Amino acid sequence: MALRKTATVSSRKTSAKSTAKASNGGPIADFDRDEELKAYREMLLIRRFEEKAGQLYGMGFIGGFCHLYIGQEAVVVGMQMAQKEGDQVITAYRDHGHMLATGMEARGVMAELTGRRSGYSRGKGGSMHMFSKEKHFYGGHGIVGAQVSLGTGLAFANRYRGNDSVAVAYFGDGAANQGQVYESFNMAALWKLPIVYIVENNRYAMGTSTARATAQSNYSLRGSGFGIPGMQVDGMDVRAVKAAADEALEHCRSGKGPIILEMLTYRYRGHSMSDPAKYRTKEEVQKMRSEQDPIEQVRMRVMEKGWATEDDLKAIDKEVRDIVADSADFAQADPEPDASELYTDILL
Ligand SMILES: Cc1ncc(C[n+]2csc(CCOP(=O)(O)OP(=O)(O)O)c2C)c(N)n1
Ligand SMILES: [Mg+2]
């Protein structure tokens, strides 16, 4: 696979017209009406869920850390649309979107965020530590970069068992500078492990911009020393993500080993819930929101093509809002775990 060159993210404009190429020159998937509306719904669910999580945090219902995924929705939704049943997902702490995209229930995720009994980790894991073996979601990790090694282990297990599954390991631009990432790349390339490494390049690691922290800002090239191919992808366009995902998953499934997808994306909110945001201007955030918003891009396309009316989209919005409101009501009514649960499900 050819390595593609960087395109500047800032030159992109939201366009209602469907073009043959993504804004950085990469391929896009040709979505039909159902796919557009599915992508729209899934991304909206994540956004509304995250907005509600932010509210509940402000009201004191969620304790500890809480990292919102708002702005980055197209990445996980485009990837998930290309994956097959059995493909594993693992990510860092900015993880609620990944959980919802794998099909985990909003109720269980919200209950975990609020530390309740019906949460995915029985209220004992919180925002950063949730898992669902049934949905092949392996966390939720607070140690920056750790999920890359663990994800490589998942891929090793696939190879060892001789199954057809691919592991998808997400990590940030900051995590990409961790040493264990390269130890993992080495083993994955050596043993041709079926894994897609996704660098979610949202331009910041907490308050440090990529420009200040990295000697090689084209993260798709980070595997080149190991012969791992990579692509830069417009991570704000769900069709571009889907096209890259199709190619990458096929690469892995056909036994060619690992591949890296660098998703050019952006987070609208602060790193976590308290973030003075002195490291970027309000104008920078506003420009991304108004010109490249992943949900707005789909909305404009489906409206222009006559694939949905305002009312159709409002109905989707209502359905999604209802799911999210229900999850918040459920979580607040659910009891906290009993004190006797303190010593269960843990290694002593
Ligand atoms: C090993 C380790 N070092 C440092 C931290 C503190 N820390 C938490 S998040 C973060 C930034 C990571 O940024 P990035 O990988 O770009 O992910 P993003 O938050 O942008 O999604 C750091 C340094 C940590 N949790 N683990
Ligand atoms: Mg980052």
Side-chain angles (χ1 to χ4, degrees):
M1 180 179 301
L3 294 171
R4 296 197 179 89
K5 275 275 177 204
T6 324
T8 50
V9 202
S10 56
S11 64
R12 297 193 299 242
K13 281 249 187 252
T14 298
S15 164
K17 288 213 167 61
S18 171
T19 52
K21 297 274 177 213
S23 61
N24 67 340
I28 55 167
D30 195 13
F31 276 5
D32 61 23
R33 178 178 182 276
D34 286 353
E35 287 168 316
E36 290 278 33
L37 292 179
K38 181 180 164 55
Y40 182 79
R41 183 193 175 280
E42 301 291 297
M43 291 195 289
L44 201 61
L45 176 64
I46 295 172
R47 180 151 312 176
R48 297 285 176 257
F49 183 92
E50 293 290 65
E51 287 166 353
K52 181 60 84 180
Q55 276 172 17
L56 293 184
Y57 194 95
M59 292 159 71
F61 283 107
I62 296 173
F65 288 101
C66 182
H67 310 83
L68 304 180
Y69 196 60
I70 297 177
Q72 300 182 212
E73 298 92 344
V75 176
V76 82
V77 169
M79 282 305 303
Q80 200 70 36
M81 284 174 82
Q83 284 164 226
K84 283 207 314 203
E85 169 63 27
D87 291 346
Q88 303 100 339
V89 172
I90 188 164
T91 188
Y93 44 79
R94 200 175 299 289
D95 51 4
H96 318 150
H98 301 68
M99 296 170 199
L100 296 173
T102 61
M104 288 168 68
E105 296 290 335
R107 277 185 169 199
V109 180
M110 201 63 98
E112 189 58 45
L113 289 179
T114 49
R116 306 304 171 113
R117 208 173 274 187
S118 306
Y120 273 99
S121 296
R122 299 182 193 172
K124 295 188 284 182
S127 167
M128 303 194 283
H129 307 108
M130 268 183 261
F131 312 86
S132 168
K133 208 173 165 203
E134 187 199 350
K135 300 293 179 190
H136 315 288
F137 180 74
Y138 287 83
H141 297 273
I143 306 296
V144 167
Q147 76 277 19
V148 180
S149 312
L150 295 171
T152 305
L154 292 169
F156 182 85
N158 291 336
R159 166 56 43 94
Y160 186 77
R161 291 174 177 145
N163 65 28
D164 193 28
S165 299
V166 175
V168 179
Y170 293 85
F171 54 107
D173 45 278
N177 293 329
Q178 285 279 16
Q180 63 178 307
V181 170
Y182 299 90
E183 295 178 43
S184 304
F185 282 2
N186 181 51
M187 287 184 264
L190 177 68
W191 296 322
K192 291 206 180 316
L193 303 182
I195 180 160
V196 184
Y197 292 113
I198 312 256
V199 185
E200 294 203 58
N201 179 2
N202 59 11
R203 301 200 211 168
Y204 297 95
M206 297 182 86
T208 309
S209 70
T210 53
R212 290 173 58 210
T214 186
Q216 172 51 273
S217 59
N218 184 334
Y219 295 91
S220 73
L221 299 176
R222 290 291 187 96
S224 56
F226 307 95
I228 303 176
M231 281 190 273
Q232 280 192 316
V233 182
D234 179 352
M236 303 300 276
D237 184 340
V238 69
R239 303 166 307 168
V241 176
K242 168 73 163 54
D246 283 337
E247 202 174 329
L249 289 161
E250 169 54 27
H251 174 94
C252 293
R253 265 190 253 282
S254 62
K256 292 185 187 141
I259 187 165
I260 298 169
L261 298 181
E262 178 190 351
M263 301 291 179
L264 301 165
T265 184
Y266 199 76
R267 73 166 150 74
Y268 296 172
R269 297 289 185 93
H271 166 72
S272 185
M273 296 311 291
S274 56
D275 180 348
K278 295 221 170 92
Y279 50 87
R280 62 181 182 184
T281 61
K282 285 197 178 102
E283 290 72 33
E284 179 185 300
V285 182
Q286 195 43 47
K287 191 167 162 54
M288 288 299 290
R289 292 189 84 123
S290 60
E291 294 183 0
Q292 297 182 58
D293 185 72
I295 301 175
E296 190 61 16
Q297 287 191 41
V298 182
R299 201 183 73 80
M300 287 172 72
R301 274 201 308 273
V302 293
M303 295 280 287
E304 178 164 281
K305 287 183 176 159
W307 283 354
T309 61
E310 278 284 359
D311 283 348
D312 294 334
L313 297 181
K314 272 191 193 141
I316 296 174
D317 201 22
K318 179 169 184 326
E319 185 224 333
V320 160
R321 276 180 197 279
D322 288 349
I323 293 170
V324 171
D326 168 75
S327 74
D329 292 345
F330 174 81
Q332 286 168 84
D334 196 40
E336 291 181 353
D338 194 79
S340 63
E341 289 276 330
L342 215 52
Y343 297 102
T344 57
D345 310 312
I346 56 166
L347 291 173
L348 286 170

